[in-house]
Amino acid sequence: MRFGLDYAAGRPGGAAIRAAGFDFVVRYLSDGGPSLPGKLLTPAEADDLRAHDISIVSNWETTATRMLDGYGAGIVDARTGLAQVLRCGGRRDRPIYFSADFDTTPQDQAAVNAYLEGAGTVLGPANVGVYGGYWSISRALDAGCASWAWQTEAWSGDNLESRRNIHQTRRQVVVGGVLCDVNMAMTTDFGQWDFVQEEEADMTPEQEAVLRDIQVQLRGPGLAGWPQLGADAEGHNLTLVDGLAAALRRIDELEGESTGLRTQIGELRTEISDLETTTADLARQVERLSGRHWPWPLSLIEGPAAVVGEQLARLESLLPDLPGLSGRPETERHSPGNGAVAAADTSK
């Protein structure tokens, strides 16, 4: 609920109004003379109020019983009031509340209604509002002479008009040095200049059925989630959106894991390449197993072994020349050729 002020003795200023906790004002479009120097809304004041995000509502009142002057008076006042609204930066499509600032009787109502009807010829019936006690505004609303109602607690007793847009309380406060009446907005749109109506597109029953079906598909039967998608930490079934979010998180996790897997695969490929090189070397070694080559894996030391063998053969050929070698005839020591023959004979 929004709270606002109406005042006539002075102009508190937007900053003071906002600081006091109010965010709208109902302002007069007529001059109050020397006794009420702050009654008339001026362009400068309107600019100041807007600068402080204070909504403005329009009201017209010259004297308490002006509405008893009837139809013609309503036309004149509506024209003057609308001109002041436009001068202060207001809109044509916003209502003006006209004041019956006294305790009207049923006999007074005919003149009051006529006045409002006259104002409607200028503003349009949809933009005519009425201020007053319970009975004044209720009779005007019932007659269709007013579309907006600003009820004051004065002359209302304990009665509350359910159709009222603004409720004026008996509470008064001093704001910025000015005595003000406190009001409450009873509807979202209560006639403020800065109200913007949100357009609502009409839908066919078929379109509504499609939207409901989409809603069920997204949120599950009874809008309680889908059991097939699992539950959250609190045991509530996941909706389609929840399930999609969980899947996206898992994809992120798998991408993180796949980065590590790709690194490991790269390392394995390097090891496999090294193994393939080693295998090729071993295959070449196997191909060399023919001839005088040693069997593998001894073939891996075949080169050094051949060198050692040659040295042993050379040493063995020198052994017969060593003196005092037992087991061999003396004559054989000086004639390698005869020794060879003797050895041959001995073998027979």
Side-chain angles (χ1 to χ4, degrees):
M1 181 178 294
R2 298 177 62 177
F3 292 86
L5 304 172
D6 70 270
Y7 46 87
R11 298 182 179 88
I17 293 172
R18 174 61 69 174
F22 300 95
D23 65 1
F24 77 88
V25 294
V26 184
R27 294 296 291 122
Y28 296 98
L29 305 174
S30 56
D31 193 348
S35 61
L36 296 173
K39 185 175 181 180
L40 178 66
L41 173 68
T42 66
E45 181 192 3
D47 290 341
D48 174 62
L49 293 170
R50 281 189 289 262
H52 291 87
D53 295 324
I54 306 296
S55 298
I56 303 171
V57 181
S58 302
N59 174 263
W60 177 273
E61 179 184 349
T62 50
T63 61
T65 60
R66 168 64 171 170
M67 297 180 76
L68 295 179
D69 292 339
Y71 188 87
I75 294 175
V76 172
D77 291 351
R79 287 175 178 169
T80 306
L82 179 59
Q84 187 66 12
V85 167
L86 299 178
R87 189 175 299 116
C88 294
R91 295 158 46 183
R92 289 183 177 273
D93 62 342
R94 296 279 75 198
I96 296 176
Y97 291 89
F98 297 90
S99 294
D101 201 4
F102 64 104
D103 188 11
T104 62
T105 65
Q107 293 71 29
D108 295 330
Q109 196 67 42
V112 170
N113 289 351
Y115 178 95
L116 295 172
E117 289 173 350
T121 64
V122 177
L123 305 177
N127 295 321
V128 175
V130 59
Y131 165 89
Y134 172 80
W135 296 108
S136 297
I137 65 173
S138 293
R139 288 191 289 256
L141 291 172
D142 290 342
C145 301
S147 300
W148 303 79
W150 176 16
Q151 181 181 351
T152 176
E153 290 185 1
W155 317 301
S156 292
D158 295 329
N159 300 302
L160 293 175
E161 172 55 65
S162 62
R163 294 169 288 179
R164 70 196 187 284
N165 303 99
I166 307 174
H167 183 92
Q168 185 187 60
T169 70
R170 295 181 183 275
R171 179 188 169 204
Q172 292 184 314
V173 294
V174 176
V175 177
V178 179
L179 183 65
C180 308
D181 296 320
V182 176
N183 297 268
M184 298 182 297
M186 308 307 297
T187 54
T188 302
D189 180 6
F190 49 94
Q192 66 271 38
W193 293 0
D194 55 359
F195 179 78
V196 178
Q197 178 67 52
E198 296 183 2
E199 296 183 1
E200 297 182 1
D202 294 331
M203 292 189 296
T204 65
E206 291 78 10
Q207 290 172 326
E208 291 181 353
V210 170
L211 288 178
R212 284 195 298 270
D213 183 59
I214 292 173
Q215 187 179 37
V216 169
Q217 291 182 40
L218 290 174
R219 300 185 62 84
L223 307 183
W226 290 97
Q228 299 92 324
L229 297 178
D232 58 20
E234 298 178 355
H236 301 134
N237 292 333
L238 298 179
T239 66
L240 187 59
V241 174
D242 296 331
L244 178 59
L248 291 175
R249 287 194 296 271
R250 181 56 182 157
I251 289 172
D252 290 339
E253 293 172 359
L254 290 176
E255 287 181 348
E257 293 175 3
S258 66
T259 300
L261 288 174
R262 283 195 293 268
T263 301
Q264 294 179 24
I265 290 171
E267 294 173 352
L268 287 173
R269 283 176 176 168
T270 300
E271 294 178 7
I272 290 171
S273 179
D274 293 342
L275 183 58
E276 288 175 344
T277 301
T278 303
T279 303
D281 291 341
L282 292 175
R284 285 191 294 271
Q285 292 289 345
V286 171
E287 291 176 358
R288 294 172 57 191
L289 290 177
S290 61
R292 296 177 60 254
H293 299 118
W294 293 16
W296 186 88
L298 297 179
S299 61
L300 297 178
I301 59 171
E302 182 180 8
V307 173
V308 172
E310 290 176 359
Q311 296 299 324
L312 288 175
R314 181 173 177 274
L315 179 61
E316 186 176 317
S317 68
L318 295 176
L319 286 177
D321 296 334
L322 295 176
L325 184 64
S326 60
R328 290 186 182 272
E330 184 67 22
T331 55
E332 293 178 6
R333 297 173 190 164
H334 299 286
S335 178
N338 291 337
V341 174
D345 291 341
T346 302
S347 64
K348 291 181 180 179

